[in-house]
Amino acid sequence: MPKIENPKSTIPSQLQGLHLFHYDPAVCAQRVRFALGEKGLSRGREVKFDSTEPLAVRGESGKWVSRRVSLPMKAHMTPQYAAIHPNMVVPALVHDGDLYLESMDIIEYLDDAFGGSRLVPTEGPLRDAAMARVEEAKVLHRSIRFVTFHWGLGRLAMLNPKERNALGELAAQGDDGEQLVTFYDQYSTRTIPESVFVNHLKNLYSAFSELNAELEDGRQFLMSDEVTIADPFWSMKINRLIECGYPVEAHHPTLWAWYQRMFARPSFQNEVMEKNRVTNRVFRAKARIERAFGKGLKQAVDAVAA
Ligand SMILES: N[C@@H](CCC(=O)N[C@@H](CS)C(=O)NCC(=O)O)C(=O)O
């Protein structure tokens, strides 16, 4: 997979072994951590994301160094992180000084570079089908952002004018490939019409219904009876939506059963949930309150389905 040539930051080239720039509750980082777990690689030392102390730059055998980039603290919107990832999103991976961006590319890279379960099928048609499912999931990531911000994070995710200015300035030097500037400008000034959020929810609902129908042939995982790269892409989305109150079991029962199989895997428990339990509980409690007031994601999904 293409490594990033000449990153602006001097940090990646100093790192030995595997280092993941990530945030525990971030869906895009969760799928990479799941993949690391499936490859038999576990979480090692925790260091500051921009630390170049002698101990912090060292690799650990069979482990990855955790470089936490706090999204609530806006650590991803700093010049230090923007020099590593010009889109200012997590995750980013460094292996022996080489930088890789984009969760799909990172998982493909890990799959080739390490042993453990094979995640990208080697057989042509199965590989193409799995990668098509991943591409579809990537496009729908925008919908996840709209839905989870609206029904999950709410006001907590709004940026004040000073933060929006700082983001705009940083984005002007990078490429803002994830369109953070426009999104945060509109989201923080409440200028996104309700219909836009509902349309994103409809996109997700119809994609989940399609997956649900496919799984009805009895396969254990999305592409076959083996886990592939497609499974973490979709299960992390569902995990986040469940946290926000999406009634998956009621609307997509076969997809729910598949999600349970994914959830039970040690790599899901250890690499995704282990340090995400507090956020998970907070999200779920908030969703319960909103549901009780008739304003939750549950009611919105029921309306989309009606
Ligand atoms: N296409 C990218 C998407 C990365 C992405 O959007 N990451 C989110 C977390 S899931 C992020 O860092 N968002 C920062 C923000 O919304 O401020 C990938 O798959 O790696």
Side-chain angles (χ1 to χ4, degrees), residues 25-29 31 71 76-77 85 88-91 101-104 106 138 141 145 149 178 180 183-184 233:
V27 171
C28 312
R31 50 193 179 232
L71 301 189
H76 58 309
M77 297 177 187
H85 199 320
M88 291 175 279
V89 290
V90 289
L101 305 178
E102 279 299 318
S103 54
M104 181 178 89
I106 292 173
K138 272 182 75 174
H141 181 61
R145 188 194 286 164
F149 273 60
E178 299 289 341
L180 290 192
F183 175 76
Y184 275 110
F233 264 83

Side-chain angles (χ1 to χ4, degrees), residues 178-238:
E178 299 289 341
Q179 299 170 21
L180 290 192
V181 174
T182 317
F183 175 76
Y184 275 110
D185 276 349
Q186 296 179 347
Y187 182 76
S188 310
T189 51
R190 298 174 183 270
T191 44
I192 303 175
E194 183 72 15
S195 60
V196 171
F197 293 111
V198 172
N199 279 336
H200 281 291
L201 185 57
K202 282 183 182 161
N203 294 342
L204 292 166
Y205 189 91
S206 77
F208 294 161
S209 302
E210 193 191 308
L211 291 181
N212 190 80
E214 285 212 352
L215 284 159
E216 274 165 8
D217 68 5
R219 66 183 82 173
Q220 293 294 293
F221 295 100
L222 285 185
M223 308 313 303
S224 64
D225 284 340
E226 306 293 332
V227 169
T228 69
I229 184 171
D231 294 283
F233 264 83
W234 287 92
S235 55
M236 300 316 153
K237 285 192 195 324
I238 290 172

Side-chain angles (χ1 to χ4, degrees), residues 237-246 248 256 259 284 287:
K237 285 192 195 324
I238 290 172
N239 196 43
R240 171 50 40 81
L241 291 176
I242 290 170
E243 287 172 343
C244 296
Y246 192 123
V248 176
W256 171 256
Y259 165 78
R284 278 167 179 264

